[in-house]
PDB file of all heavy atoms in Angstrom:
ATOM      1  N   ALA A   1      24.743   3.142   8.505  1.00 84.00           N
ATOM      2  CA  ALA A   1      24.698   2.627   7.132  1.00 84.00           C
ATOM      3  C   ALA A   1      23.897   1.333   7.022  1.00 84.00           C
ATOM      4  O   ALA A   1      23.449   0.983   5.923  1.00 84.00           O
ATOM      5  CB  ALA A   1      26.109   2.417   6.601  1.00 84.00           C
ATOM      6  N   MET A   2      23.683   0.657   8.118  1.00 82.00           N
ATOM      7  CA  MET A   2      22.899  -0.586   8.069  1.00 82.00           C
ATOM      8  C   MET A   2      21.506  -0.329   7.503  1.00 82.00           C
ATOM      9  O   MET A   2      20.981  -1.146   6.748  1.00 82.00           O
ATOM     10  CB  MET A   2      22.811  -1.233   9.449  1.00 82.00           C
ATOM     11  CG  MET A   2      24.122  -1.849   9.910  1.00 82.00           C
ATOM     12  SD  MET A   2      24.874  -2.984   8.709  1.00 82.00           S
ATOM     13  CE  MET A   2      23.663  -4.268   8.646  1.00 82.00           C
ATOM     14  N   ASP A   3      20.904   0.809   7.845  1.00 81.00           N
ATOM     15  CA  ASP A   3      19.597   1.148   7.267  1.00 81.00           C
ATOM     16  C   ASP A   3      19.705   1.308   5.759  1.00 81.00           C
ATOM     17  O   ASP A   3      18.798   0.935   5.016  1.00 81.00           O
ATOM     18  CB  ASP A   3      19.048   2.439   7.883  1.00 81.00           C
ATOM     19  CG  ASP A   3      18.575   2.239   9.311  1.00 81.00           C
ATOM     20  OD1 ASP A   3      18.295   1.093   9.703  1.00 81.00           O
ATOM     21  OD2 ASP A   3      18.485   3.248  10.039  1.00 81.00           O
ATOM     22  N   LYS A   4      20.808   1.858   5.303  1.00 83.00           N
ATOM     23  CA  LYS A   4      21.006   2.023   3.871  1.00 83.00           C
ATOM     24  C   LYS A   4      21.142   0.672   3.170  1.00 83.00           C
ATOM     25  O   LYS A   4      20.680   0.502   2.042  1.00 83.00           O
ATOM     26  CB  LYS A   4      22.243   2.874   3.581  1.00 83.00           C
ATOM     27  CG  LYS A   4      22.120   4.299   4.053  1.00 83.00           C
ATOM     28  CD  LYS A   4      20.874   4.932   3.507  1.00 83.00           C
ATOM     29  CE  LYS A   4      21.140   6.187   2.782  1.00 83.00           C
ATOM     30  NZ  LYS A   4      19.920   6.760   2.226  1.00 83.00           N
ATOM     31  N   PHE A   5      21.762  -0.285   3.837  1.00 85.00           N
ATOM     32  CA  PHE A   5      21.876  -1.621   3.241  1.00 85.00           C
ATOM     33  C   PHE A   5      20.501  -2.264   3.121  1.00 85.00           C
ATOM     34  O   PHE A   5      20.207  -2.927   2.128  1.00 85.00           O
ATOM     35  CB  PHE A   5      22.825  -2.505   4.050  1.00 85.00           C
ATOM     36  CG  PHE A   5      24.249  -2.019   4.025  1.00 85.00           C
ATOM     37  CD1 PHE A   5      24.971  -1.907   5.195  1.00 85.00           C
ATOM     38  CD2 PHE A   5      24.862  -1.661   2.844  1.00 85.00           C
ATOM     39  CE1 PHE A   5      26.277  -1.443   5.181  1.00 85.00           C
ATOM     40  CE2 PHE A   5      26.166  -1.194   2.815  1.00 85.00           C
ATOM     41  CZ  PHE A   5      26.876  -1.095   3.984  1.00 85.00           C
ATOM     42  N   ALA A   6      19.651  -2.036   4.120  1.00 87.00           N
ATOM     43  CA  ALA A   6      18.279  -2.552   4.044  1.00 87.00           C
ATOM     44  C   ALA A   6      17.542  -1.908   2.864  1.00 87.00           C
ATOM     45  O   ALA A   6      16.820  -2.592   2.123  1.00 87.00           O
ATOM     46  CB  ALA A   6      17.539  -2.301   5.351  1.00 87.00           C
ATOM     47  N   GLU A   7      17.738  -0.608   2.668  1.00 87.00           N
ATOM     48  CA  GLU A   7      17.145   0.071   1.514  1.00 87.00           C
ATOM     49  C   GLU A   7      17.697  -0.509   0.212  1.00 87.00           C
ATOM     50  O   GLU A   7      16.972  -0.650  -0.769  1.00 87.00           O
ATOM     51  CB  GLU A   7      17.428   1.568   1.566  1.00 87.00           C
ATOM     52  CG  GLU A   7      16.680   2.308   2.646  1.00 87.00           C
ATOM     53  CD  GLU A   7      17.109   3.770   2.759  1.00 87.00           C
ATOM     54  OE1 GLU A   7      17.702   4.318   1.780  1.00 87.00           O
ATOM     55  OE2 GLU A   7      16.866   4.366   3.814  1.00 87.00           O
ATOM     56  N   GLY A   8      18.991  -0.838   0.221  1.00 89.00           N
ATOM     57  CA  GLY A   8      19.607  -1.441  -0.959  1.00 89.00           C
ATOM     58  C   GLY A   8      18.981  -2.780  -1.304  1.00 89.00           C
ATOM     59  O   GLY A   8      18.762  -3.094  -2.474  1.00 89.00           O
ATOM     60  N   ILE A   9      18.674  -3.569  -0.292  1.00 94.00           N
ATOM     61  CA  ILE A   9      18.001  -4.850  -0.533  1.00 94.00           C
ATOM     62  C   ILE A   9      16.638  -4.599  -1.164  1.00 94.00           C
ATOM     63  O   ILE A   9      16.259  -5.268  -2.136  1.00 94.00           O
ATOM     64  CB  ILE A   9      17.887  -5.667   0.771  1.00 94.00           C
ATOM     65  CG1 ILE A   9      19.276  -6.150   1.197  1.00 94.00           C
ATOM     66  CG2 ILE A   9      16.924  -6.847   0.598  1.00 94.00           C
ATOM     67  CD1 ILE A   9      19.323  -6.794   2.566  1.00 94.00           C
ATOM     68  N   ASP A  10      15.905  -3.608  -0.654  1.00 94.00           N
ATOM     69  CA  ASP A  10      14.602  -3.285  -1.235  1.00 94.00           C
ATOM     70  C   ASP A  10      14.732  -2.846  -2.689  1.00 94.00           C
ATOM     71  O   ASP A  10      13.964  -3.280  -3.552  1.00 94.00           O
ATOM     72  CB  ASP A  10      13.912  -2.187  -0.420  1.00 94.00           C
ATOM     73  CG  ASP A  10      13.475  -2.654   0.961  1.00 94.00           C
ATOM     74  OD1 ASP A  10      13.373  -3.873   1.187  1.00 94.00           O
ATOM     75  OD2 ASP A  10      13.235  -1.781   1.820  1.00 94.00           O
ATOM     76  N   LEU A  11      15.715  -1.968  -2.976  1.00 92.00           N
ATOM     77  CA  LEU A  11      15.923  -1.508  -4.351  1.00 92.00           C
ATOM     78  C   LEU A  11      16.267  -2.675  -5.284  1.00 92.00           C
ATOM     79  O   LEU A  11      15.711  -2.795  -6.378  1.00 92.00           O
ATOM     80  CB  LEU A  11      17.053  -0.478  -4.407  1.00 92.00           C
ATOM     81  CG  LEU A  11      16.710   0.953  -4.063  1.00 92.00           C
ATOM     82  CD1 LEU A  11      17.988   1.791  -3.960  1.00 92.00           C
ATOM     83  CD2 LEU A  11      15.792   1.559  -5.108  1.00 92.00           C
ATOM     84  N   LEU A  12      17.183  -3.516  -4.834  1.00 94.00           N
ATOM     85  CA  LEU A  12      17.602  -4.646  -5.676  1.00 94.00           C
ATOM     86  C   LEU A  12      16.483  -5.678  -5.835  1.00 94.00           C
ATOM     87  O   LEU A  12      16.348  -6.283  -6.900  1.00 94.00           O
ATOM     88  CB  LEU A  12      18.851  -5.297  -5.107  1.00 94.00           C
ATOM     89  CG  LEU A  12      20.124  -4.497  -5.345  1.00 94.00           C
ATOM     90  CD1 LEU A  12      21.250  -5.002  -4.447  1.00 94.00           C
ATOM     91  CD2 LEU A  12      20.537  -4.567  -6.809  1.00 94.00           C
ATOM     92  N   ALA A  13      15.694  -5.876  -4.798  1.00 96.00           N
ATOM     93  CA  ALA A  13      14.561  -6.803  -4.907  1.00 96.00           C
ATOM     94  C   ALA A  13      13.554  -6.277  -5.932  1.00 96.00           C
ATOM     95  O   ALA A  13      13.024  -7.049  -6.747  1.00 96.00           O
ATOM     96  CB  ALA A  13      13.904  -7.009  -3.548  1.00 96.00           C
ATOM     97  N   GLY A  14      13.318  -4.968  -5.920  1.00 95.00           N
ATOM     98  CA  GLY A  14      12.428  -4.376  -6.921  1.00 95.00           C
ATOM     99  C   GLY A  14      12.982  -4.537  -8.326  1.00 95.00           C
ATOM    100  O   GLY A  14      12.247  -4.869  -9.272  1.00 95.00           O
ATOM    101  N   PHE A  15      14.280  -4.319  -8.461  1.00 95.00           N
ATOM    102  CA  PHE A  15      14.943  -4.500  -9.758  1.00 95.00           C
ATOM    103  C   PHE A  15      14.810  -5.942 -10.238  1.00 95.00           C
ATOM    104  O   PHE A  15      14.400  -6.206 -11.368  1.00 95.00           O
ATOM    105  CB  PHE A  15      16.417  -4.100  -9.628  1.00 95.00           C
ATOM    106  CG  PHE A  15      17.316  -4.728 -10.656  1.00 95.00           C
ATOM    107  CD1 PHE A  15      17.274  -4.290 -11.974  1.00 95.00           C
ATOM    108  CD2 PHE A  15      18.184  -5.750 -10.314  1.00 95.00           C
ATOM    109  CE1 PHE A  15      18.101  -4.876 -12.934  1.00 95.00           C
ATOM    110  CE2 PHE A  15      19.003  -6.336 -11.257  1.00 95.00           C
ATOM    111  CZ  PHE A  15      18.963  -5.898 -12.578  1.00 95.00           C
ATOM    112  N   ALA A  16      15.159  -6.899  -9.372  1.00 95.00           N
ATOM    113  CA  ALA A  16      15.105  -8.314  -9.760  1.00 95.00           C
ATOM    114  C   ALA A  16      13.675  -8.739 -10.085  1.00 95.00           C
ATOM    115  O   ALA A  16      13.455  -9.516 -11.023  1.00 95.00           O
ATOM    116  CB  ALA A  16      15.681  -9.177  -8.641  1.00 95.00           C
ATOM    117  N   ALA A  17      12.712  -8.232  -9.333  1.00 96.00           N
ATOM    118  CA  ALA A  17      11.319  -8.567  -9.597  1.00 96.00           C
ATOM    119  C   ALA A  17      10.898  -8.072 -10.979  1.00 96.00           C
ATOM    120  O   ALA A  17      10.232  -8.802 -11.730  1.00 96.00           O
ATOM    121  CB  ALA A  17      10.427  -7.959  -8.512  1.00 96.00           C
ATOM    122  N   GLN A  18      11.314  -6.863 -11.329  1.00 94.00           N
ATOM    123  CA  GLN A  18      10.974  -6.333 -12.650  1.00 94.00           C
ATOM    124  C   GLN A  18      11.618  -7.153 -13.761  1.00 94.00           C
ATOM    125  O   GLN A  18      11.007  -7.393 -14.793  1.00 94.00           O
ATOM    126  CB  GLN A  18      11.398  -4.874 -12.771  1.00 94.00           C
ATOM    127  CG  GLN A  18      10.460  -3.928 -12.053  1.00 94.00           C
ATOM    128  CD  GLN A  18      10.826  -2.491 -12.333  1.00 94.00           C
ATOM    129  OE1 GLN A  18      11.786  -1.977 -11.796  1.00 94.00           O
ATOM    130  NE2 GLN A  18      10.055  -1.851 -13.193  1.00 94.00           N
ATOM    131  N   ARG A  19      12.848  -7.572 -13.556  1.00 94.00           N
ATOM    132  CA  ARG A  19      13.554  -8.320 -14.606  1.00 94.00           C
ATOM    133  C   ARG A  19      13.056  -9.744 -14.750  1.00 94.00           C
ATOM    134  O   ARG A  19      13.161 -10.319 -15.826  1.00 94.00           O
ATOM    135  CB  ARG A  19      15.057  -8.331 -14.331  1.00 94.00           C
ATOM    136  CG  ARG A  19      15.625  -6.950 -14.572  1.00 94.00           C
ATOM    137  CD  ARG A  19      17.012  -6.889 -15.024  1.00 94.00           C
ATOM    138  NE  ARG A  19      17.453  -7.578 -16.178  1.00 94.00           N
ATOM    139  CZ  ARG A  19      17.743  -7.004 -17.339  1.00 94.00           C
ATOM    140  NH1 ARG A  19      17.533  -5.721 -17.511  1.00 94.00           N
ATOM    141  NH2 ARG A  19      18.234  -7.700 -18.329  1.00 94.00           N
ATOM    142  N   THR A  20      12.547 -10.320 -13.655  1.00 94.00           N
ATOM    143  CA  THR A  20      12.168 -11.733 -13.695  1.00 94.00           C
ATOM    144  C   THR A  20      10.671 -11.977 -13.681  1.00 94.00           C
ATOM    145  O   THR A  20      10.239 -13.119 -13.839  1.00 94.00           O
ATOM    146  CB  THR A  20      12.784 -12.477 -12.497  1.00 94.00           C
ATOM    147  OG1 THR A  20      12.237 -11.949 -11.284  1.00 94.00           O
ATOM    148  CG2 THR A  20      14.306 -12.374 -12.494  1.00 94.00           C
ATOM    149  N   GLY A  21       9.886 -10.926 -13.445  1.00 95.00           N
ATOM    150  CA  GLY A  21       8.438 -11.104 -13.376  1.00 95.00           C
ATOM    151  C   GLY A  21       7.972 -11.696 -12.057  1.00 95.00           C
ATOM    152  O   GLY A  21       6.838 -12.162 -11.948  1.00 95.00           O
ATOM    153  N   ARG A  22       8.814 -11.689 -11.057  1.00 96.00           N
ATOM    154  CA  ARG A  22       8.457 -12.213  -9.738  1.00 96.00           C
ATOM    155  C   ARG A  22       8.040 -11.077  -8.817  1.00 96.00           C
ATOM    156  O   ARG A  22       8.198  -9.913  -9.138  1.00 96.00           O
ATOM    157  CB  ARG A  22       9.643 -12.951  -9.126  1.00 96.00           C
ATOM    158  CG  ARG A  22      10.045 -14.177  -9.916  1.00 96.00           C
ATOM    159  CD  ARG A  22      11.239 -14.835  -9.270  1.00 96.00           C
ATOM    160  NE  ARG A  22      11.645 -15.995 -10.012  1.00 96.00           N
ATOM    161  CZ  ARG A  22      12.196 -17.059  -9.461  1.00 96.00           C
ATOM    162  NH1 ARG A  22      12.414 -17.102  -8.168  1.00 96.00           N
ATOM    163  NH2 ARG A  22      12.553 -18.076 -10.205  1.00 96.00           N
ATOM    164  N   GLU A  23       7.574 -11.452  -7.640  1.00 97.00           N
ATOM    165  CA  GLU A  23       7.179 -10.472  -6.629  1.00 97.00           C
ATOM    166  C   GLU A  23       8.417  -9.982  -5.874  1.00 97.00           C
ATOM    167  O   GLU A  23       9.258 -10.798  -5.484  1.00 97.00           O
ATOM    168  CB  GLU A  23       6.191 -11.091  -5.642  1.00 97.00           C
ATOM    169  CG  GLU A  23       4.832 -11.356  -6.238  1.00 97.00           C
ATOM    170  CD  GLU A  23       4.138 -10.073  -6.668  1.00 97.00           C
ATOM    171  OE1 GLU A  23       4.176  -9.076  -5.923  1.00 97.00           O
ATOM    172  OE2 GLU A  23       3.582 -10.061  -7.783  1.00 97.00           O
ATOM    173  N   PRO A  24       8.525  -8.669  -5.619  1.00 95.00           N
ATOM    174  CA  PRO A  24       9.702  -8.155  -4.900  1.00 95.00           C
ATOM    175  C   PRO A  24       9.819  -8.672  -3.466  1.00 95.00           C
ATOM    176  O   PRO A  24      10.912  -8.697  -2.916  1.00 95.00           O
ATOM    177  CB  PRO A  24       9.522  -6.639  -4.925  1.00 95.00           C
ATOM    178  CG  PRO A  24       8.140  -6.380  -5.362  1.00 95.00           C
ATOM    179  CD  PRO A  24       7.624  -7.609  -6.039  1.00 95.00           C
ATOM    180  N   GLY A  25       8.720  -9.100  -2.879  1.00 96.00           N
ATOM    181  CA  GLY A  25       8.769  -9.628  -1.513  1.00 96.00           C
ATOM    182  C   GLY A  25       8.988 -11.123  -1.447  1.00 96.00           C
ATOM    183  O   GLY A  25       9.060 -11.687  -0.349  1.00 96.00           O
ATOM    184  N   GLY A  26       9.115 -11.775  -2.598  1.00 96.00           N
ATOM    185  CA  GLY A  26       9.315 -13.222  -2.618  1.00 96.00           C
ATOM    186  C   GLY A  26      10.639 -13.625  -1.987  1.00 96.00           C
ATOM    187  O   GLY A  26      11.633 -12.894  -2.068  1.00 96.00           O
ATOM    188  N   PHE A  27      10.648 -14.790  -1.368  1.00 97.00           N
ATOM    189  CA  PHE A  27      11.836 -15.276  -0.662  1.00 97.00           C
ATOM    190  C   PHE A  27      13.072 -15.287  -1.558  1.00 97.00           C
ATOM    191  O   PHE A  27      14.119 -14.771  -1.178  1.00 97.00           O
ATOM    192  CB  PHE A  27      11.587 -16.682  -0.104  1.00 97.00           C
ATOM    193  CG  PHE A  27      12.798 -17.307   0.508  1.00 97.00           C
ATOM    194  CD1 PHE A  27      13.208 -16.938   1.785  1.00 97.00           C
ATOM    195  CD2 PHE A  27      13.555 -18.253  -0.179  1.00 97.00           C
ATOM    196  CE1 PHE A  27      14.344 -17.495   2.359  1.00 97.00           C
ATOM    197  CE2 PHE A  27      14.690 -18.813   0.384  1.00 97.00           C
ATOM    198  CZ  PHE A  27      15.075 -18.437   1.666  1.00 97.00           C
ATOM    199  N   GLU A  28      12.958 -15.886  -2.739  1.00 96.00           N
ATOM    200  CA  GLU A  28      14.118 -16.000  -3.619  1.00 96.00           C
ATOM    201  C   GLU A  28      14.621 -14.639  -4.069  1.00 96.00           C
ATOM    202  O   GLU A  28      15.834 -14.399  -4.142  1.00 96.00           O
ATOM    203  CB  GLU A  28      13.784 -16.860  -4.857  1.00 96.00           C
ATOM    204  CG  GLU A  28      13.546 -18.315  -4.549  1.00 96.00           C
ATOM    205  CD  GLU A  28      12.089 -18.616  -4.187  1.00 96.00           C
ATOM    206  OE1 GLU A  28      11.254 -17.670  -4.169  1.00 96.00           O
ATOM    207  OE2 GLU A  28      11.787 -19.780  -3.906  1.00 96.00           O
ATOM    208  N   VAL A  29      13.700 -13.738  -4.359  1.00 97.00           N
ATOM    209  CA  VAL A  29      14.078 -12.401  -4.833  1.00 97.00           C
ATOM    210  C   VAL A  29      14.808 -11.644  -3.721  1.00 97.00           C
ATOM    211  O   VAL A  29      15.869 -11.051  -3.944  1.00 97.00           O
ATOM    212  CB  VAL A  29      12.830 -11.630  -5.321  1.00 97.00           C
ATOM    213  CG1 VAL A  29      13.162 -10.178  -5.603  1.00 97.00           C
ATOM    214  CG2 VAL A  29      12.248 -12.302  -6.557  1.00 97.00           C
ATOM    215  N   ARG A  30      14.258 -11.649  -2.514  1.00 97.00           N
ATOM    216  CA  ARG A  30      14.892 -10.925  -1.402  1.00 97.00           C
ATOM    217  C   ARG A  30      16.210 -11.590  -0.999  1.00 97.00           C
ATOM    218  O   ARG A  30      17.170 -10.909  -0.643  1.00 97.00           O
ATOM    219  CB  ARG A  30      13.942 -10.813  -0.215  1.00 97.00           C
ATOM    220  CG  ARG A  30      12.770  -9.897  -0.572  1.00 97.00           C
ATOM    221  CD  ARG A  30      12.039  -9.321   0.587  1.00 97.00           C
ATOM    222  NE  ARG A  30      12.820  -8.563   1.517  1.00 97.00           N
ATOM    223  CZ  ARG A  30      13.232  -7.306   1.350  1.00 97.00           C
ATOM    224  NH1 ARG A  30      12.956  -6.666   0.234  1.00 97.00           N
ATOM    225  NH2 ARG A  30      13.908  -6.683   2.287  1.00 97.00           N
ATOM    226  N   ASN A  31      16.263 -12.914  -1.064  1.00 96.00           N
ATOM    227  CA  ASN A  31      17.491 -13.622  -0.745  1.00 96.00           C
ATOM    228  C   ASN A  31      18.585 -13.254  -1.752  1.00 96.00           C
ATOM    229  O   ASN A  31      19.735 -12.983  -1.383  1.00 96.00           O
ATOM    230  CB  ASN A  31      17.226 -15.135  -0.755  1.00 96.00           C
ATOM    231  CG  ASN A  31      18.281 -15.914  -0.036  1.00 96.00           C
ATOM    232  OD1 ASN A  31      18.849 -15.451   0.936  1.00 96.00           O
ATOM    233  ND2 ASN A  31      18.538 -17.119  -0.506  1.00 96.00           N
ATOM    234  N   TRP A  32      18.221 -13.217  -3.025  1.00 96.00           N
ATOM    235  CA  TRP A  32      19.174 -12.806  -4.064  1.00 96.00           C
ATOM    236  C   TRP A  32      19.655 -11.380  -3.801  1.00 96.00           C
ATOM    237  O   TRP A  32      20.859 -11.104  -3.855  1.00 96.00           O
ATOM    238  CB  TRP A  32      18.502 -12.913  -5.436  1.00 96.00           C
ATOM    239  CG  TRP A  32      19.365 -12.448  -6.564  1.00 96.00           C
ATOM    240  CD1 TRP A  32      20.281 -13.187  -7.248  1.00 96.00           C
ATOM    241  CD2 TRP A  32      19.415 -11.133  -7.111  1.00 96.00           C
ATOM    242  NE1 TRP A  32      20.896 -12.402  -8.207  1.00 96.00           N
ATOM    243  CE2 TRP A  32      20.377 -11.144  -8.136  1.00 96.00           C
ATOM    244  CE3 TRP A  32      18.739  -9.950  -6.841  1.00 96.00           C
ATOM    245  CZ2 TRP A  32      20.685 -10.006  -8.888  1.00 96.00           C
ATOM    246  CZ3 TRP A  32      19.049  -8.812  -7.581  1.00 96.00           C
ATOM    247  CH2 TRP A  32      20.007  -8.852  -8.601  1.00 96.00           C
ATOM    248  N   ALA A  33      18.719 -10.477  -3.512  1.00 96.00           N
ATOM    249  CA  ALA A  33      19.080  -9.082  -3.260  1.00 96.00           C
ATOM    250  C   ALA A  33      20.001  -8.971  -2.050  1.00 96.00           C
ATOM    251  O   ALA A  33      20.968  -8.192  -2.065  1.00 96.00           O
ATOM    252  CB  ALA A  33      17.815  -8.238  -3.058  1.00 96.00           C
ATOM    253  N   GLY A  34      19.728  -9.746  -1.003  1.00 96.00           N
ATOM    254  CA  GLY A  34      20.601  -9.736   0.173  1.00 96.00           C
ATOM    255  C   GLY A  34      21.996 -10.243  -0.156  1.00 96.00           C
ATOM    256  O   GLY A  34      22.993  -9.703   0.347  1.00 96.00           O
ATOM    257  N   ALA A  35      22.079 -11.256  -1.011  1.00 96.00           N
ATOM    258  CA  ALA A  35      23.392 -11.771  -1.414  1.00 96.00           C
ATOM    259  C   ALA A  35      24.166 -10.705  -2.192  1.00 96.00           C
ATOM    260  O   ALA A  35      25.372 -10.518  -1.969  1.00 96.00           O
ATOM    261  CB  ALA A  35      23.223 -13.034  -2.259  1.00 96.00           C
ATOM    262  N   VAL A  36      23.490 -10.000  -3.076  1.00 95.00           N
ATOM    263  CA  VAL A  36      24.158  -8.941  -3.839  1.00 95.00           C
ATOM    264  C   VAL A  36      24.668  -7.858  -2.889  1.00 95.00           C
ATOM    265  O   VAL A  36      25.820  -7.423  -2.994  1.00 95.00           O
ATOM    266  CB  VAL A  36      23.222  -8.339  -4.912  1.00 95.00           C
ATOM    267  CG1 VAL A  36      23.858  -7.103  -5.552  1.00 95.00           C
ATOM    268  CG2 VAL A  36      22.885  -9.379  -5.973  1.00 95.00           C
ATOM    269  N   VAL A  37      23.826  -7.425  -1.942  1.00 94.00           N
ATOM    270  CA  VAL A  37      24.251  -6.391  -1.000  1.00 94.00           C
ATOM    271  C   VAL A  37      25.451  -6.878  -0.188  1.00 94.00           C
ATOM    272  O   VAL A  37      26.408  -6.126   0.031  1.00 94.00           O
ATOM    273  CB  VAL A  37      23.085  -5.949  -0.084  1.00 94.00           C
ATOM    274  CG1 VAL A  37      23.575  -5.117   1.095  1.00 94.00           C
ATOM    275  CG2 VAL A  37      22.065  -5.154  -0.895  1.00 94.00           C
ATOM    276  N   GLY A  38      25.445  -8.130   0.235  1.00 94.00           N
ATOM    277  CA  GLY A  38      26.575  -8.673   0.988  1.00 94.00           C
ATOM    278  C   GLY A  38      27.859  -8.673   0.174  1.00 94.00           C
ATOM    279  O   GLY A  38      28.924  -8.296   0.670  1.00 94.00           O
ATOM    280  N   VAL A  39      27.752  -9.061  -1.070  1.00 94.00           N
ATOM    281  CA  VAL A  39      28.926  -9.088  -1.955  1.00 94.00           C
ATOM    282  C   VAL A  39      29.429  -7.663  -2.208  1.00 94.00           C
ATOM    283  O   VAL A  39      30.640  -7.404  -2.177  1.00 94.00           O
ATOM    284  CB  VAL A  39      28.574  -9.822  -3.274  1.00 94.00           C
ATOM    285  CG1 VAL A  39      29.589  -9.537  -4.363  1.00 94.00           C
ATOM    286  CG2 VAL A  39      28.466 -11.320  -3.023  1.00 94.00           C
ATOM    287  N   VAL A  40      28.509  -6.731  -2.427  1.00 90.00           N
ATOM    288  CA  VAL A  40      28.893  -5.336  -2.654  1.00 90.00           C
ATOM    289  C   VAL A  40      29.560  -4.764  -1.405  1.00 90.00           C
ATOM    290  O   VAL A  40      30.595  -4.091  -1.498  1.00 90.00           O
ATOM    291  CB  VAL A  40      27.668  -4.502  -3.084  1.00 90.00           C
ATOM    292  CG1 VAL A  40      27.963  -3.011  -3.038  1.00 90.00           C
ATOM    293  CG2 VAL A  40      27.213  -4.912  -4.484  1.00 90.00           C
ATOM    294  N   LEU A  41      29.006  -5.044  -0.242  1.00 89.00           N
ATOM    295  CA  LEU A  41      29.604  -4.568   1.001  1.00 89.00           C
ATOM    296  C   LEU A  41      31.013  -5.123   1.174  1.00 89.00           C
ATOM    297  O   LEU A  41      31.939  -4.382   1.509  1.00 89.00           O
ATOM    298  CB  LEU A  41      28.730  -4.941   2.198  1.00 89.00           C
ATOM    299  CG  LEU A  41      29.304  -4.599   3.570  1.00 89.00           C
ATOM    300  CD1 LEU A  41      29.567  -3.115   3.715  1.00 89.00           C
ATOM    301  CD2 LEU A  41      28.356  -5.082   4.654  1.00 89.00           C
TER     302      LEU A  41
END
């Protein structure tokens, strides 16, 4: 499932990037996505 969590970070980073106009690979966007995945887990 760890691979699935990594996919979840990618999905959430894409979502956050679309909502905020930022790049999905940006530090803040990926950090936010990782925090969401951690909280969900």
Side-chain angles (χ1 to χ4, degrees):
M2 288 308 296
D3 287 339
K4 295 306 235 178
F5 294 132
E7 289 174 20
I9 290 172
D10 291 342
L11 278 171
L12 285 165
F15 157 73
Q18 283 187 284
R19 289 210 55 106
T20 64
R22 296 179 181 211
E23 290 296 317
F27 174 78
E28 292 88 0
V29 171
R30 292 200 57 79
N31 198 33
W32 177 86
V36 171
V37 167
V39 164
V40 168
L41 175 59

